[in-house]
Amino acid sequence: MQFNEFGCLLFSVHLFSLVPKVLGNLGSLSSFIKPLIRSLRVSFDQALALDAHVRCLTHSCFYHLRNIAKLSSIISWSKLEIIICHHSFLSFRLDCSNSVFTCCRKTSLDHLQAVQNAAPKLLTKSSKWSHVTPLLISLHWLPVKFRVQFKILV
């Protein structure tokens, strides 16, 4: 998606195998097409696969989880829960625009699930190898796949 000098919006969605043909048919307008666009905090590629968005989101989430982990020894559990669950992490990063993940690949959802699995382990100070399902149940958190479906339904 890109505006040209005439104010027209160009957004080309196609299979990667058709890229040369599409670019050839656009002629001089092909210089305005970008391989990745960002709109409403979501990064879209030309095939609408959302892989770049999920990659960027998981890197950002793990970065913030590492920083929160450094604070976990000096703040109380209730404050840590507020930071992780309500303010900066789950509510904002994973739930923001997650309705676009309805058509996302399973591998991308698995990456997001890995982020969500790391958060309760940090919150409960569980080991890296402990099972996360009981932690998710005790915190009343839905897995990412069901969070997306719930957001669509509500």
Side-chain angles (χ1 to χ4, degrees):
M1 182 164 38
Q2 183 72 28
F3 286 102
N4 62 10
E5 67 268 10
F6 305 110
C8 296
L9 182 63
L10 300 176
F11 184 57
S12 175
V13 178
H14 49 273
L15 296 173
F16 287 115
S17 60
L18 298 176
V19 170
K21 185 176 180 181
V22 170
L23 292 177
N25 289 336
L26 288 174
S28 64
L29 295 176
S30 65
S31 63
F32 292 101
I33 294 180
K34 304 291 182 191
L36 186 70
I37 60 155
R38 189 165 172 92
S39 179
L40 300 173
R41 292 192 182 150
V42 178
S43 300
F44 295 99
D45 60 1
Q46 292 174 337
L48 294 179
L50 296 171
D51 291 337
H53 176 68
V54 170
R55 190 177 321 111
C56 180
L57 182 65
T58 54
H59 284 289
S60 172
C61 287
F62 279 123
Y63 169 79
H64 289 290
L65 274 177
R66 282 190 299 274
N67 286 337
I68 292 170
K70 293 174 186 174
L71 296 174
S72 66
S73 62
I74 58 173
I75 59 176
S76 67
W77 186 85
S78 60
K79 301 287 185 194
L80 191 64
E81 182 183 24
I82 290 171
I83 291 171
I84 292 175
C85 302
H86 302 294
H87 290 291
S88 65
F89 190 68
L90 282 178
S91 300
F92 181 69
R93 299 206 180 271
L94 289 181
D95 288 341
C96 181
S97 303
N98 72 352
S99 58
V100 297
F101 296 132
T102 55
C103 300
C104 202
R105 296 183 209 174
K106 185 185 180 315
T107 55
S108 295
L109 287 177
D110 290 343
H111 291 298
L112 294 173
Q113 187 63 50
V115 170
Q116 188 186 18
N117 290 350
K121 288 181 181 182
L122 171 64
L123 184 62
T124 59
K125 297 183 174 133
S126 301
S127 73
K128 182 171 144 178
W129 297 278
S130 64
H131 291 284
V132 75
T133 306
L135 300 175
L136 291 173
I137 290 171
S138 67
L139 294 169
H140 304 288
W141 291 0
L142 290 172
V144 171
K145 177 182 175 183
F146 297 117
R147 288 173 88 98
V148 170
Q149 291 175 356
F150 181 77
K151 181 135 184 194
I152 294 295
L153 292 174
V154 172

